[in-house]
Amino acid sequence: ERALLARRAKIIHFVRNPYDMVLSNYLYHSQEPTPEKWVHKDDPCMTWYENKETLASNVLPSIGTDEINDKYFYNIFKMCRSLYQSKSSMWNSTFYEHLLELDPGDGLRLATAQMVAASGYANRHKAGGDVARMANNIVKLKELQSYMPSEVEVL
C-alpha cells in the first residue's frame, strides 16, 4: 500500500448506498433483454475463488464484527441456495431467468445475495460481492489515511 502511495498513485473509489446498489442490480439485470451476458452464466451463490478462498475470507479481516462474520456470509449463502435452482422447474435456469421468473421479492433477495457474498466466477471475479468489497475498500482507504495523512486526500 505504501509503495503505491510512494509512486503518487491516484485512486478513485465511488461509494453508493448499498440498498440503492442491490435494487439497481436487480432492476438492471432483470431487463429484457439483459444488457450483460454474464448473468446467463453466473451462479449468484458461488462464493469460492479459484485459490479456494472466499469473498468472506478476503473481507472479514477488515469489516468483520460480531454481526458480520463467517456465519453471516454462510446464512446469505443458504438463503441464496434456497432460491437458486432449488425448484425442479428451475434446476437448469440461469441467474437471469431466475430474476425474471421469481416473484419480485425473491428476485431482489437473490440479486442481493449476489451483490453481498458472491465471488463472480462467471466474469472472472469482476462483479459479485460488490457491497462487501465496497465496505472493505472504505476501511482500507481509512487505513491508508492513517499511515500517511498528508498523502491521502478524500474528496
Side-chain angles (χ1 to χ4, degrees), residues 10 14 32 51 106 150:
K10 294 184 181 190
F14 294 96
E32 292 187 68
N51 63 2
D106 283 342
S150 63

Side-chain angles (χ1 to χ4, degrees), residues 9-147:
K10 294 184 181 190
I11 300 169
I12 298 174
H13 183 252
F14 294 96
V15 177
R16 289 180 66 188
N17 179 320
Y19 297 107
D20 292 343
M21 283 177 68
V22 297
L23 182 58
S24 175
N25 177 50
Y26 170 67
L27 294 173
Y28 183 75
H29 292 109
S30 62
Q31 295 179 67
E32 292 187 68
T34 183
E36 296 186 295
K37 304 283 186 240
W38 65 264
V39 294
H40 295 290
K41 300 180 284 184
D42 199 41
D43 175 346
C45 307
M46 172 65 76
T47 60
W48 294 97
Y49 290 98
E50 286 138 357
N51 63 2
K52 305 297 182 207
E53 290 185 2
T54 64
L55 178 67
S57 67
N58 283 287
V59 300
L60 282 176
S62 297
I63 65 170
T65 65
D66 289 342
E67 293 85 25
I68 300 174
N69 52 35
D70 283 320
K71 185 177 179 182
Y72 171 85
F73 278 89
Y74 178 71
N75 287 336
I76 293 172
F77 171 77
K78 277 188 1 186
M79 182 268 301
C80 190
R81 280 287 167 225
S82 76
L83 295 169
Y84 185 67
Q85 296 181 337
S86 61
K87 298 176 185 157
S88 60
S89 62
M90 297 188 82
W91 279 345
N92 294 316
S93 298
T94 65
F95 176 42
Y96 176 65
E97 291 165 335
H98 277 74
L99 294 179
L100 296 178
E101 297 297 324
L102 291 172
D103 71 72
D106 283 342
L108 181 57
R109 288 173 62 216
L110 184 62
T112 300
Q114 188 269 338
M115 286 291 286
V116 173
S119 68
Y121 182 78
N123 58 10
R124 295 187 231 45
H125 311 294
K126 292 179 184 164
D130 297 44
V131 172
R133 291 179 208 220
M134 181 178 64
N136 183 65
N137 292 344
I138 291 168
V139 170
K140 293 295 184 184
L141 179 62
K142 288 185 184 276
E143 286 177 7
L144 282 173
Q145 285 178 295
S146 71
Y147 295 146

